[in-house]
Structures are given as structure tokens and as C-alpha cells.
Amino acid sequence: MINEVLKSKNLCMGCHACINVCPRSCISMKADKEGFLYPTVDYSLCIKCNKCVTVCPIINKIEMDNNPVAYSCINNDNTIRLDSSSGGIFTLIAEKVIDSGGVVFGARFNDEFEVEHSFVETKERLCKLRGSKYVQSKIGDSYKRVKEFLNSGREVLFIGTPCQIAGLLSYLGQSYRNLLTVDIICHGVPSPYVWSKYVEFRETEAGAPVQRISFRRKDEGWKKYSVSFLFKNNKEYRQNLSKDIYMKAFLQDISLRLSCYDCRFKGMSRQSDITLGDFWGIQYVLPEMDDDMGTSLIFINSDTGQELFEEIKYKMSYLKVDIAEAVKFNLAAIESSKYNPKRDGFMAEKDVLPFDKLVSKYCTDSLFTRMKIKVKSDIKIVLTKTKMIDIVKSIIDK
Ligand SMILES: Cc1cc2nc3c(=O)[nH]c(=O)nc-3n(C[C@H](O)[C@H](O)[C@H](O)COP(=O)(O)OP(=O)(O)OC[C@H]3O[C@@H](n4cnc5c(N)ncnc54)[C@H](O)[C@@H]3O)c2cc1C
């Protein structure tokens, strides 16, 4: 069945379509040693109906041939924008769906600060879904719930990674006029287990359980965002993306799911109605839309997406952009992350070393960052040209 077909771990992206479709509920998702979920079949219950194989969006990939239009967008509500990862467009779309009596599915933290898909039905609860969580989200039985809402005539918005959208559409197996799908430009998803180790590390350091986490605080600006933890003893941890050790591991592609290094859902022809991302490089492409509070890059991939955009555009500042120009600064839209050769060592030692030692052993700073650190520690030295050359040489030699 499904695990026989997907023998290679590099293929299964953990979309959960197979467990949602199984009529005997004999498939469950089990975490491997790295903490990623993979389907496991209980053969004593399996009736060999093959539905798990036919639903798999990797085995039966739908080839798309659409022609997306790209926009640079900013939600006019600055409070929402500051609370969002990019330009706050997710909230605008979600509010429209809720205003029409609809339901919104997205990723939230549960009480243990694990990331999972869930739904909300009121604008007040949208804050649970708002904001990027850089961990693979567990889909659970969300696709089944989506189908129930669709069949009851409710409008449904489902947002997730491109592979989760593929899983949902494959599971539904037919188009629904009351469904709107939004995917994100996705760098890749880190291991939930590595995430739990990091939360544990921060809690131990703070001496209290965590009560709130944000991956994208914009206190120092959107481009230099920070990760923040608020603990139950009111201590706060906040660190810039280049210094936070979890983000360092994520951005150096060492903690991603194996399938993310060969993602089958990259490119400009997407299955979703709308794609959301950060408009990195906005300062070069459209400087007038860069106030460092967050600008979204959005692709409109279908007529449904275009209709929705027309209905909400009066609540945003936007400009049409050349898609090729925009993507130049956001290669995650079209290319998989590169496999980090130190990944095996990192995963093997994740239970042996404390989190900070693990990251400092396996995630080296870039030459530029090492130069900055070295320069800071040598701050009392007058940097002559010769000294600068010595510093660069010593870093290269390390
Ligand atoms: C793992 C991950 C990697 C990303 N990589 C890139 C990238 O390389 N380049 C880029 O331009 N953008 C990337 N993004 C998207 C970006 O961070 C923003 O989520 C997006 O621009 C939407 O921002 P917003 O301000 O409109 O909405 P926000 O309010 O910030 O909404 C974020 C939305 O994403 C959903 N979401 C959050 N975490 C997850 C998750 N783990 N899995 C599935 N859905 C989730 C939430 O439910 C919410 O609806 C990534 C997001 C994630 C979660």
C-alpha cells in the first residue's frame, strides 16, 4: 500500500491525504527518528482498496498550466500588518471569507506549542492562525473537516504549504465553488521534534514554561525580524533572525524534511487560487512600497483568486509587478532548498548535544557574519587595510 509505494523517504511530504481518505482508518501517521510524520498501514485492517495510492499527490501529480499575475501588496491596517509575517494579506482574505459566513483553516500553536492545522469561524480568533510558524504543521483530519463544511454549503478558505494544498485537492477529488485555497511561498518545513527540543531549551534557560511565541516580530523592522518567546514568569527572549539558533538551523537548511530538498510543488504554475509570500527585494523593485513594516508578494493563480482579489483590493495598497522580476529575489518560489551535507550529523546528535552546542557545531556562520563578529571583538583595534586582510585570511583558514 502507500508505504510500499513511497519507499523513498525523499518523496513523502507528509500531506496526510492517505490517512484522510482511508475508509477503514487503518493508516496512521508515525514520527520517524527525525520527528517527521510518515504513513504506516495496519495490514490486519487494510482491505486493499488502493485509495491511499490513488489519492497520493506525489504518485498522481496534477500538472498545472496557469499564468499567474503578481502584485506587491500592503494591508492598509498597520496594526494587523505589524502582527503578520509579511504584508498582512492572509488576514484580509480570511476576514472576507468569515464575513460571508465561511470557515478558515490554517496553522496554529496548540497548548504544547506544537504546530497543527485547525479552523476558526470568527475574526477575533484569526490571531491564532496569523503569523508564520517555521515548523511542519500537522494536518490531522483537517481535509475531512474541510469536505464536511463544503458539503454543508459553507465557504471554506484553506491556507497551507503548496504540498498541503495538493494533498487537500487530491483528497477532495472534485472542484467546489465554495472553496478558496491559498498557498505560501515555502522555503521548506523544519522537524517538529527539533522544534520541541528548541522550545525545551528556551524554557530551561528561562526557568518557566512558555506562554507566547512569535517567529516574526518586527520591532527592528520586517527585513531584520526577530523570534520572540514570552514565558510564564514574564521573562522575554527576543533575538534577531541571524542570531537565533533555531532560525540559523532553519535558514541553513539543516533541519528540513527530506522531501523539501526535492520539492515537487515549486514553480509558477500552482494548484492554489492565491499564493502569498514576502516581497524580498522590494527596496530594489518598488522602493515606494517599502517602509520596512512588511510587503507581500502575491500571485493570483485562478479566476476564483482574481474575484477574491477584486473584492478586497480597496483595503490594501497594491501595484502589479513583473513576476519574473519579483521571483529573482525569492528563489524559494521556484527552487528547492539545497541539501545541507551536515544534516545527517545534526540529526544524529540532536539528542546528544544541548541545542546551542548542536547548532554551533553544525551551523557555521557565513563568511560575512564571521567577519562582522570578528570585527566587533576587535573593536579597539584601528582597522587598517592590512589588518582587515589578516582578519579575512584568519576566517578563511578556520
Ligand atoms: C515554513 C514556511 C516557510 C516559508 N518560506 C517562505 C519563503 O522562503 N519565502 C517567502 O516569501 N515566504 C515564505 N513563507 C511565507 C511567509 O512567511 C508568510 O507566511 C506569507 O508571506 C504570508 O504572510 P501574511 O503577512 O500575508 O500573513 P500571516 O498572517 O503572516 O499568515 C501566515 C499564514 O501562513 C499559515 N502558516 C503559518 N505557519 C504555517 C505552517 N507551518 N504550515 C502551513 N501554513 C502555515 C498561517 O495559518 C497563516 O494563515 C514561509 C512560511 C512558512 C510557514
Side-chain angles (χ1 to χ4, degrees):
M1 293 297 98
I2 195 74
N3 5 18
E4 287 166 28
V5 178
L6 291 174
K7 283 218 167 69
S8 162
K9 270 194 156 179
N10 299 6
L11 288 177
C12 174
M13 71 292 184
C15 77
H16 284 63
C18 52
I19 73 151
N20 277 267
V21 83
C22 177
R24 297 296 299 266
S25 302
C26 63
I27 308 179
S28 50
M29 297 296 281
K30 296 235 159 44
D32 70 350
K33 278 194 226 144
E34 297 180 348
F36 292 106
L37 297 173
Y38 290 88
T40 308
V41 182
D42 178 347
Y43 290 103
S44 67
L45 297 175
C46 176
I47 52 168
K48 299 196 170 41
C49 67
N50 221 32
K51 284 191 173 165
C52 53
V53 176
T54 48
V55 81
C56 175
I58 289 287
I59 298 168
N60 305 295
K61 186 166 182 275
I62 300 168
E63 295 303 335
M64 302 298 294
D65 185 21
N66 46 24
N67 208 1
V69 182
Y71 293 91
S72 161
C73 301
I74 286 175
N75 184 336
N76 290 339
D77 182 334
N78 280 339
T79 312
I80 296 290
R81 186 154 66 110
L82 282 176
D83 198 36
S84 307
S85 305
S86 313
I89 303 307
F90 158 69
T91 302
L92 273 185
I93 300 173
E95 284 178 345
K96 175 78 191 68
V97 171
I98 286 177
D99 281 341
S100 322
V103 189
V104 178
F105 283 77
R108 60 153 199 176
F109 287 119
N110 66 17
D111 293 342
E112 279 75 48
F113 285 91
E114 296 157 342
V115 180
E116 62 184 24
H117 260 66
S118 182
F119 65 91
V120 304
E121 299 178 81
T122 63
K123 286 188 195 173
E124 292 68 41
R125 293 188 68 78
L126 273 180
C127 58
K128 300 271 172 214
L129 307 185
R130 196 158 37 239
S132 296
K133 290 105 190 158
Y134 295 120
V135 187
Q136 183 162 33
S137 166
K138 183 176 168 182
I139 290 291
D141 64 356
S142 296
Y143 299 162
K144 277 188 193 162
R145 308 299 297 270
V146 168
K147 194 173 191 170
E148 284 161 15
F149 281 121
L150 290 172
N151 287 338
S152 74
R154 299 272 297 273
E155 212 170 290
V156 175
L157 162 63
F158 188 98
I159 176 160
T161 58
C163 56
Q164 290 169 338
I165 301 300
L168 170 68
L169 295 177
S170 189
Y171 166 77
L172 293 173
Q174 65 172 91
S175 56
Y176 285 86
R177 286 186 60 79
N178 47 341
L179 173 66
L180 179 75
T181 55
V182 174
D183 67 348
I184 47 183
I185 295 179
C186 180
H187 176 92
V189 286
S191 150
Y193 182 71
V194 170
W195 169 242
S196 71
K197 296 292 283 181
Y198 183 54
V199 174
E200 205 178 286
F201 173 81
R202 285 275 158 245
E203 288 182 331
T204 308
E205 200 182 64
V210 67
Q211 62 166 310
R212 201 181 62 215
I213 298 176
S214 168
F215 276 96
R216 300 277 299 254
R217 292 274 309 227
K218 296 178 179 172
D219 309 60
E220 289 179 55
W222 161 62
K223 296 187 203 80
K224 222 175 154 194
Y225 63 85
S226 19
V227 177
S228 116
F229 283 60
L230 180 66
F231 300 92
K232 289 197 173 151
N233 57 5
N234 281 330
K235 275 193 189 170
E236 197 191 359
Y237 160 85
R238 194 181 307 169
Q239 192 56 272
N240 167 296
L241 81 154
S242 62
K243 295 195 188 124
D244 177 80
I245 50 179
Y246 180 81
M247 289 307 286
K248 203 183 253 189
F250 170 47
L251 295 171
Q252 292 193 18
D253 304 329
I254 208 162
S255 55
L256 305 182
R257 190 177 177 104
L258 283 174
S259 58
C260 298
Y261 300 104
D262 183 18
C263 175
R264 306 295 165 100
F265 302 96
K266 296 282 176 193
M268 300 318 309
S269 267
R270 292 179 171 247
Q271 294 187 37
S272 66
D273 296 302
I274 297 177
T275 301
L276 298 180
D278 287 285
F279 205 136
W280 301 132
I282 188 73
Q283 64 272 36
Y284 311 115
V285 182
L286 287 171
E288 66 274 30
M289 286 198 74
D290 177 26
D291 58 4
D292 207 23
M293 281 167 61
T295 307
S296 291
L297 170 62
I298 85 167
F299 306 150
I300 304 293
N301 305 319
S302 71
D303 292 345
T304 309
Q306 188 66 45
E307 273 166 38
L308 191 281
F309 182 76
E310 296 302 324
E311 287 175 45
I312 60 169
K313 68 183 188 187
Y314 74 97
K315 290 186 174 175
M316 50 167 116
S317 311
Y318 65 94
L319 282 173
K320 203 167 181 177
V321 287
D322 175 54
I323 201 159
E325 187 67 15
V327 164
K328 260 192 219 162
F329 297 93
N330 204 334
L331 291 177
I334 50 172
E335 283 176 11
S336 299
S337 294
K338 299 270 173 300
Y339 183 81
N340 184 328
K342 294 184 186 162
R343 185 182 181 281
D344 287 352
F346 177 90
M347 287 295 180
E349 288 205 84
K350 66 187 181 321
D351 289 314
V352 181
L353 295 174
F355 202 87
D356 52 346
K357 301 277 182 309
L358 179 73
V359 174
S360 62
K361 179 166 177 186
Y362 288 101
C363 304
T364 39
D365 286 313
S366 66
L367 178 64
F368 180 68
T369 312
R370 279 186 282 152
M371 268 178 67
K372 281 205 306 199
I373 294 167
K374 181 78 176 150
V375 169
K376 266 192 193 160
S377 68
D378 285 4
I379 204 85
K380 291 192 191 113
I381 301 167
V382 181
L383 285 177
T384 60
K385 202 176 166 191
T386 332
K387 180 70 192 164
M388 197 66 198
I389 290 167
D390 286 348
I391 292 172
V392 173
K393 271 190 184 154
S394 76
I395 292 166
I396 292 170
D397 290 345
K398 268 187 196 164

